Amino acid sequence: MIQDFKFAFRQLLKSPGFTAVAVLTLALAIGVNSAIFALINSVVLHPMVPLRPEEVVNVFNCRQNANHDYRSFSYNEYRELRENGGDLFVDLAALEFAVAGIGHDHEMRRSFAFLTSENYFSLMGVKTFRGRFYTAEEARPNANVPVVVASYGFWKRTGGRNHFVGSTLQINGQPYNVIGISPKGFSGASALIAPDIWVPLGIRSQLGSAFADSETMHDLSNPKNYALNLVGRMRPGLTIETAKSRLPVLSQRFNAMQAGEAEFMREVQIQTPSRFSLSTSPEDDGPITLIGTLLMAMAGAVLLIACLNLANMLLARGTSRSKEIAVRLAVGASRWRIVRQLLVEGFVLALVGGGFGLLLGLWSSDLLVASLGRKMPIDLVWQSGLSMPVLLATFAFCLLGTFVFALGPAAADGSLSFSIPLPGNLLPAGVHAVQFVDQCVVAAASGGGLLSSPSSVVLVDDLP
């Protein structure tokens, strides 16, 4: 097999024009497929929660009526559910979404931000890339400790400085101390967009106008300030279906917090976290699997068209190599040996084209995401760079391409009976062609002697 690969490289180097066109065709086709798969892997397949994602759910509450009016939770409700929901949740965290101005006046950028409780990151199972996350004291309502955790993407966009942790960041015109950087690829509650910064709930009152119109709504200790979304980690072994049987008891405890307001009797609900929605009510991501399948199907059509074009090129090239293949058959090579050699040549083409296509796909995708990020107040979630799933998918595209564009021409070339015409003065009258059908046994003797057996020749007369 090693000899096949060496011979394949030599053959391709002998035809630089053909090789260049074939590699470019495959690079574009496989690059499109690799880029689409990288997008699907980043947005659809990559888990939002790094640690046991099947245990994490979003928590909602709604009225027990036909309308099912949903609303967020107050801080007091969050604390009560966290302390009294132990039969269902191992931990319960709170978060809120916001937009904040980051930078000085002439360089201010409106950016997406998350306010979270101190246990949000441990619940999601992540650790800082650098520095630390905020503490329970810093996240206490009205603590007003100006600390911030920057996202990995934000840190990279601002230069990726080694001394970034410990520096000061201007947020809504106020200085905040950068205490940490979140891990690469972590986006929290959304698989599509990530916040530039994470700040503790305790700073909410200082961010004032970014969140509410009334000053009383800045205070999380206000029991009527319904501002928080909740995310919980279920106890090990529980599924969403089995956990729902315990929700009526939790809903009773929740209603006990409502100070006897019967018209506001509510029920607690849980749902698998949506990958794209940041709503206070349960949302369905829609036919995301179907969309991903359609995208891959369109990319696959591009690969199929490229492979069919390349197959025609290989068939034409096989015609020009008919004498070479005939000689190899004549000296004893089996037809399977010829087919295998042609398949190896196709696989080498696919690997080289796939390598260039992978680099082209990743480069173009990173360029697109970077250009969008400069124009949008959010950090798009994108798993840039090489990853094992993308590498394996690209290798699979190379194998698929080899079978599509190389198998047919290889089988056709290996099954042909090749005719080699003799010079005209050696042809007897009435002879149309000479076909070698027996094996020519050639052995080199020591000292350079050559022994050969006579070739059997079949003469085919002209048809009347």
Side-chain angles (χ1 to χ4, degrees):
M1 185 62 74
I2 299 299
Q3 290 298 116
D4 289 339
F5 277 94
K6 291 181 178 180
F7 184 77
F9 275 108
R10 290 198 300 269
Q11 287 296 110
L12 294 177
L13 291 177
K14 287 181 181 178
S15 306
F18 167 81
T19 302
V21 172
V23 168
L24 179 60
T25 301
L26 287 171
L28 293 175
I30 295 178
V32 169
N33 281 265
S34 296
I36 294 297
F37 179 81
L39 171 65
I40 294 175
N41 179 64
S42 180
V43 177
V44 179
L45 302 179
H46 184 75
M48 295 190 302
V49 183
L51 178 66
R52 299 191 300 275
E54 69 281 358
E55 296 178 358
V56 176
V57 294
N58 284 344
V59 185
F60 306 94
N61 76 90
C62 65
R63 287 188 180 183
Q64 294 179 345
N65 57 21
N67 294 329
H68 281 78
D69 298 325
Y70 289 87
R71 67 162 172 79
S72 299
F73 294 85
S74 69
Y75 184 82
N76 291 342
E77 291 172 341
Y78 155 63
R79 293 300 305 181
E80 289 291 334
L81 288 176
R82 183 179 178 184
E83 294 172 2
N84 299 315
D87 55 338
L88 180 59
F89 300 113
V90 173
D91 202 1
L92 194 68
L95 69 153
E96 185 181 1
F97 322 114
V99 176
I102 303 178
H104 294 87
D105 294 338
H106 60 287
E107 298 177 346
M108 181 175 291
R109 166 191 165 109
R110 305 298 290 178
S111 299
F112 199 44
F114 276 5
L115 291 93
T116 71
S117 56
E118 75 285 351
N119 62 328
Y120 181 76
F121 302 100
S122 60
L123 184 148
M124 301 294 278
V126 297
K127 297 181 179 179
T128 55
F129 174 73
R130 288 182 183 174
R132 66 174 179 87
F133 294 125
Y134 27 83
T135 65
E137 183 62 27
E138 291 166 337
R140 178 177 51 82
N142 303 319
N144 294 327
V145 180
V147 294
V148 60
V149 174
S151 71
Y152 182 90
F154 180 79
W155 170 66
K156 294 294 287 185
R157 288 201 310 272
T158 54
R161 305 187 308 273
N162 291 330
H163 56 279
F164 184 74
V165 175
S167 63
T168 299
L169 197 63
Q170 292 288 324
I171 302 177
N172 283 1
Q174 300 296 323
Y176 282 68
N177 181 36
V178 179
I179 60 173
I181 301 172
S182 64
K184 181 180 180 180
F186 177 65
S187 58
S190 173
L192 186 60
I193 56 177
D196 278 344
I197 57 173
W198 308 78
V199 292
L201 289 175
I203 206 67
R204 187 176 188 276
S205 59
Q206 281 196 3
L207 295 178
S209 59
F211 301 95
D213 298 329
S214 171
E215 289 296 327
T216 59
M217 291 296 101
H218 300 163
D219 186 3
L220 281 179
S221 61
N222 184 344
K224 298 296 184 181
N225 188 1
Y226 305 116
L228 304 179
N229 288 7
L230 302 187
V231 57
R233 180 175 288 278
M234 298 185 298
R235 288 196 165 280
L238 284 180
T239 64
I240 290 185
E241 294 304 319
T242 57
K244 286 181 178 179
S245 62
R246 305 186 184 186
L247 288 178
V249 176
L250 192 62
S251 297
Q252 291 178 2
R253 297 172 185 170
F254 183 75
N255 285 314
M257 310 172 198
Q258 309 303 318
E261 298 179 10
E263 66 273 21
F264 293 107
M265 294 293 290
R266 312 188 73 84
E267 63 177 317
V268 178
Q269 299 179 357
I270 59 174
Q271 187 190 48
T272 301
S274 170
R275 301 187 69 88
F276 308 115
S277 174
L278 300 177
S279 175
T280 58
S281 60
E283 296 287 344
D284 186 4
D285 286 332
I288 183 173
T289 303
L290 176 60
I291 294 174
T293 304
L294 290 176
L295 285 174
M296 284 307 305
M298 289 188 290
V302 175
L303 180 60
L304 177 61
I305 293 172
C307 289
L308 292 178
N309 289 331
L310 193 54
N312 288 330
M313 294 170 59
L314 288 175
L315 284 172
R317 187 167 181 262
T319 302
S320 66
R321 296 178 63 185
S322 58
K323 292 184 180 180
E324 170 203 334
I325 296 175
V327 170
R328 296 185 66 186
L329 288 171
V331 298
S334 65
R335 298 191 185 279
W336 161 241
R337 181 71 176 79
I338 299 298
V339 171
R340 189 181 74 179
Q341 178 60 54
L342 295 175
L343 280 177
V344 169
E345 291 182 20
F347 185 55
V348 170
L349 272 178
L351 284 181
V352 177
F356 283 108
L358 177 62
L359 296 177
L360 177 64
L362 294 179
W363 173 79
S364 59
S365 299
D366 289 345
L367 181 64
L368 176 61
V369 172
S371 62
L372 290 175
R374 287 191 293 267
K375 299 178 181 179
M376 302 172 67
I378 55 177
D379 183 19
L380 294 176
V381 177
W382 178 255
Q383 304 295 323
S384 61
L386 294 177
S387 64
M388 187 56 65
V390 176
L391 283 174
L392 292 177
T394 303
F395 183 74
F397 296 144
C398 293
L399 284 178
L400 177 62
T402 301
F403 281 104
V404 172
F405 74 77
L407 183 59
D413 292 344
S415 63
L416 290 178
S417 296
F418 294 96
S419 298
I420 305 178
L422 295 176
N425 60 347
L426 297 180
L427 289 174
V431 175
H432 174 66
V434 178
Q435 183 179 22
F436 294 92
V437 296
D438 290 340
Q439 174 179 335
C440 295
V441 181
V442 180
S446 60
L450 183 66
L451 300 177
S452 62
S453 63
S455 300
S456 297
V457 179
V458 175
L459 302 180
V460 181
D461 292 335
D462 284 333
L463 295 176

PDB file of all heavy atoms in Angstrom, residues 221-236:
ATOM      1  N   SER A 221     -33.960  43.782  46.019  1.00  0.00           N
ATOM      2  CA  SER A 221     -34.630  43.375  47.256  1.00  0.00           C
ATOM      3  C   SER A 221     -36.119  43.712  47.250  1.00  0.00           C
ATOM      4  O   SER A 221     -36.866  43.254  48.111  1.00  0.00           O
ATOM      5  CB  SER A 221     -33.956  44.040  48.469  1.00  0.00           C
ATOM      6  OG  SER A 221     -34.041  45.449  48.367  1.00  0.00           O
ATOM      7  N   ASN A 222     -36.568  44.493  46.266  1.00  0.00           N
ATOM      8  CA  ASN A 222     -37.994  44.797  46.117  1.00  0.00           C
ATOM      9  C   ASN A 222     -38.737  43.524  45.704  1.00  0.00           C
ATOM     10  O   ASN A 222     -38.458  42.948  44.643  1.00  0.00           O
ATOM     11  CB  ASN A 222     -38.179  45.883  45.056  1.00  0.00           C
ATOM     12  CG  ASN A 222     -39.631  46.321  44.927  1.00  0.00           C
ATOM     13  OD1 ASN A 222     -40.556  45.649  45.385  1.00  0.00           O
ATOM     14  ND2 ASN A 222     -39.835  47.466  44.297  1.00  0.00           N
ATOM     15  N   PRO A 223     -39.697  43.033  46.504  1.00  0.00           N
ATOM     16  CA  PRO A 223     -40.374  41.762  46.184  1.00  0.00           C
ATOM     17  C   PRO A 223     -41.196  41.817  44.906  1.00  0.00           C
ATOM     18  O   PRO A 223     -41.568  40.763  44.379  1.00  0.00           O
ATOM     19  CB  PRO A 223     -41.259  41.515  47.412  1.00  0.00           C
ATOM     20  CG  PRO A 223     -41.460  42.856  48.027  1.00  0.00           C
ATOM     21  CD  PRO A 223     -40.200  43.626  47.773  1.00  0.00           C
ATOM     22  N   LYS A 224     -41.514  43.014  44.406  1.00  0.00           N
ATOM     23  CA  LYS A 224     -42.283  43.138  43.163  1.00  0.00           C
ATOM     24  C   LYS A 224     -41.389  43.363  41.949  1.00  0.00           C
ATOM     25  O   LYS A 224     -41.888  43.609  40.843  1.00  0.00           O
ATOM     26  CB  LYS A 224     -43.270  44.303  43.276  1.00  0.00           C
ATOM     27  CG  LYS A 224     -44.299  44.138  44.377  1.00  0.00           C
ATOM     28  CD  LYS A 224     -45.209  42.941  44.128  1.00  0.00           C
ATOM     29  CE  LYS A 224     -46.301  42.837  45.190  1.00  0.00           C
ATOM     30  NZ  LYS A 224     -47.168  41.647  44.954  1.00  0.00           N
ATOM     31  N   ASN A 225     -40.097  43.285  42.153  1.00  0.00           N
ATOM     32  CA  ASN A 225     -39.160  43.486  41.043  1.00  0.00           C
ATOM     33  C   ASN A 225     -38.887  42.145  40.372  1.00  0.00           C
ATOM     34  O   ASN A 225     -37.983  41.404  40.742  1.00  0.00           O
ATOM     35  CB  ASN A 225     -37.852  44.098  41.571  1.00  0.00           C
ATOM     36  CG  ASN A 225     -36.918  44.506  40.444  1.00  0.00           C
ATOM     37  OD1 ASN A 225     -37.235  44.347  39.281  1.00  0.00           O
ATOM     38  ND2 ASN A 225     -35.758  45.037  40.806  1.00  0.00           N
ATOM     39  N   TYR A 226     -39.706  41.824  39.382  1.00  0.00           N
ATOM     40  CA  TYR A 226     -39.593  40.538  38.690  1.00  0.00           C
ATOM     41  C   TYR A 226     -38.636  40.713  37.510  1.00  0.00           C
ATOM     42  O   TYR A 226     -39.036  41.162  36.429  1.00  0.00           O
ATOM     43  CB  TYR A 226     -40.954  40.057  38.206  1.00  0.00           C
ATOM     44  CG  TYR A 226     -41.987  39.975  39.317  1.00  0.00           C
ATOM     45  CD1 TYR A 226     -43.125  40.783  39.306  1.00  0.00           C
ATOM     46  CD2 TYR A 226     -41.797  39.097  40.380  1.00  0.00           C
ATOM     47  CE1 TYR A 226     -44.057  40.703  40.320  1.00  0.00           C
ATOM     48  CE2 TYR A 226     -42.726  39.012  41.403  1.00  0.00           C
ATOM     49  CZ  TYR A 226     -43.853  39.821  41.363  1.00  0.00           C
ATOM     50  OH  TYR A 226     -44.783  39.755  42.382  1.00  0.00           O
ATOM     51  N   ALA A 227     -37.384  40.372  37.722  1.00  0.00           N
ATOM     52  CA  ALA A 227     -36.356  40.661  36.728  1.00  0.00           C
ATOM     53  C   ALA A 227     -35.477  39.474  36.367  1.00  0.00           C
ATOM     54  O   ALA A 227     -34.712  39.564  35.407  1.00  0.00           O
ATOM     55  CB  ALA A 227     -35.465  41.799  37.234  1.00  0.00           C
ATOM     56  N   LEU A 228     -35.573  38.385  37.099  1.00  0.00           N
ATOM     57  CA  LEU A 228     -34.582  37.318  36.967  1.00  0.00           C
ATOM     58  C   LEU A 228     -35.118  36.088  36.234  1.00  0.00           C
ATOM     59  O   LEU A 228     -36.266  35.690  36.444  1.00  0.00           O
ATOM     60  CB  LEU A 228     -34.074  36.893  38.345  1.00  0.00           C
ATOM     61  CG  LEU A 228     -33.478  37.998  39.223  1.00  0.00           C
ATOM     62  CD1 LEU A 228     -33.053  37.430  40.562  1.00  0.00           C
ATOM     63  CD2 LEU A 228     -32.308  38.669  38.519  1.00  0.00           C
ATOM     64  N   ASN A 229     -34.282  35.509  35.409  1.00  0.00           N
ATOM     65  CA  ASN A 229     -34.522  34.192  34.841  1.00  0.00           C
ATOM     66  C   ASN A 229     -33.749  33.173  35.666  1.00  0.00           C
ATOM     67  O   ASN A 229     -32.667  33.478  36.178  1.00  0.00           O
ATOM     68  CB  ASN A 229     -34.071  34.128  33.388  1.00  0.00           C
ATOM     69  CG  ASN A 229     -34.977  34.913  32.459  1.00  0.00           C
ATOM     70  OD1 ASN A 229     -35.875  35.607  32.918  1.00  0.00           O
ATOM     71  ND2 ASN A 229     -34.725  34.828  31.175  1.00  0.00           N
ATOM     72  N   LEU A 230     -34.293  31.973  35.778  1.00  0.00           N
ATOM     73  CA  LEU A 230     -33.657  30.955  36.604  1.00  0.00           C
ATOM     74  C   LEU A 230     -33.231  29.754  35.764  1.00  0.00           C
ATOM     75  O   LEU A 230     -33.910  29.367  34.812  1.00  0.00           O
ATOM     76  CB  LEU A 230     -34.601  30.480  37.718  1.00  0.00           C
ATOM     77  CG  LEU A 230     -35.132  31.531  38.692  1.00  0.00           C
ATOM     78  CD1 LEU A 230     -35.914  30.856  39.816  1.00  0.00           C
ATOM     79  CD2 LEU A 230     -34.010  32.387  39.261  1.00  0.00           C
ATOM     80  N   VAL A 231     -32.092  29.198  36.144  1.00  0.00           N
ATOM     81  CA  VAL A 231     -31.600  27.968  35.536  1.00  0.00           C
ATOM     82  C   VAL A 231     -31.189  27.038  36.667  1.00  0.00           C
ATOM     83  O   VAL A 231     -30.569  27.461  37.645  1.00  0.00           O
ATOM     84  CB  VAL A 231     -30.424  28.244  34.570  1.00  0.00           C
ATOM     85  CG1 VAL A 231     -29.291  28.968  35.272  1.00  0.00           C
ATOM     86  CG2 VAL A 231     -29.913  26.956  33.940  1.00  0.00           C
ATOM     87  N   GLY A 232     -31.580  25.774  36.563  1.00  0.00           N
ATOM     88  CA  GLY A 232     -31.306  24.827  37.639  1.00  0.00           C
ATOM     89  C   GLY A 232     -30.607  23.576  37.146  1.00  0.00           C
ATOM     90  O   GLY A 232     -30.737  23.200  35.975  1.00  0.00           O
ATOM     91  N   ARG A 233     -29.883  22.951  38.035  1.00  0.00           N
ATOM     92  CA  ARG A 233     -29.288  21.650  37.751  1.00  0.00           C
ATOM     93  C   ARG A 233     -30.027  20.604  38.575  1.00  0.00           C
ATOM     94  O   ARG A 233     -30.033  20.655  39.813  1.00  0.00           O
ATOM     95  CB  ARG A 233     -27.792  21.631  38.080  1.00  0.00           C
ATOM     96  CG  ARG A 233     -27.127  20.282  37.801  1.00  0.00           C
ATOM     97  CD  ARG A 233     -25.633  20.324  38.021  1.00  0.00           C
ATOM     98  NE  ARG A 233     -24.949  21.073  36.983  1.00  0.00           N
ATOM     99  CZ  ARG A 233     -24.605  20.604  35.786  1.00  0.00           C
ATOM    100  NH1 ARG A 233     -24.904  19.338  35.479  1.00  0.00           N
ATOM    101  NH2 ARG A 233     -23.990  21.354  34.914  1.00  0.00           N
ATOM    102  N   MET A 234     -30.671  19.665  37.885  1.00  0.00           N
ATOM    103  CA  MET A 234     -31.456  18.637  38.559  1.00  0.00           C
ATOM    104  C   MET A 234     -30.539  17.647  39.269  1.00  0.00           C
ATOM    105  O   MET A 234     -29.360  17.521  38.941  1.00  0.00           O
ATOM    106  CB  MET A 234     -32.346  17.908  37.548  1.00  0.00           C
ATOM    107  CG  MET A 234     -33.369  18.780  36.865  1.00  0.00           C
ATOM    108  SD  MET A 234     -34.474  17.827  35.785  1.00  0.00           S
ATOM    109  CE  MET A 234     -33.297  17.165  34.585  1.00  0.00           C
ATOM    110  N   ARG A 235     -31.127  16.947  40.207  1.00  0.00           N
ATOM    111  CA  ARG A 235     -30.384  15.930  40.928  1.00  0.00           C
ATOM    112  C   ARG A 235     -29.983  14.802  39.971  1.00  0.00           C
ATOM    113  O   ARG A 235     -30.722  14.487  39.032  1.00  0.00           O
ATOM    114  CB  ARG A 235     -31.215  15.362  42.069  1.00  0.00           C
ATOM    115  CG  ARG A 235     -31.381  16.330  43.225  1.00  0.00           C
ATOM    116  CD  ARG A 235     -31.854  15.645  44.482  1.00  0.00           C
ATOM    117  NE  ARG A 235     -31.668  16.504  45.643  1.00  0.00           N
ATOM    118  CZ  ARG A 235     -30.531  16.673  46.287  1.00  0.00           C
ATOM    119  NH1 ARG A 235     -29.456  16.014  45.893  1.00  0.00           N
ATOM    120  NH2 ARG A 235     -30.458  17.467  47.338  1.00  0.00           N
ATOM    121  N   PRO A 236     -28.815  14.202  40.177  1.00  0.00           N
ATOM    122  CA  PRO A 236     -28.380  13.106  39.296  1.00  0.00           C
ATOM    123  C   PRO A 236     -29.408  11.982  39.258  1.00  0.00           C
ATOM    124  O   PRO A 236     -29.978  11.600  40.280  1.00  0.00           O
ATOM    125  CB  PRO A 236     -27.067  12.638  39.947  1.00  0.00           C
ATOM    126  CG  PRO A 236     -26.570  13.836  40.699  1.00  0.00           C
ATOM    127  CD  PRO A 236     -27.799  14.549  41.187  1.00  0.00           C
TER     128      PRO A 236
END
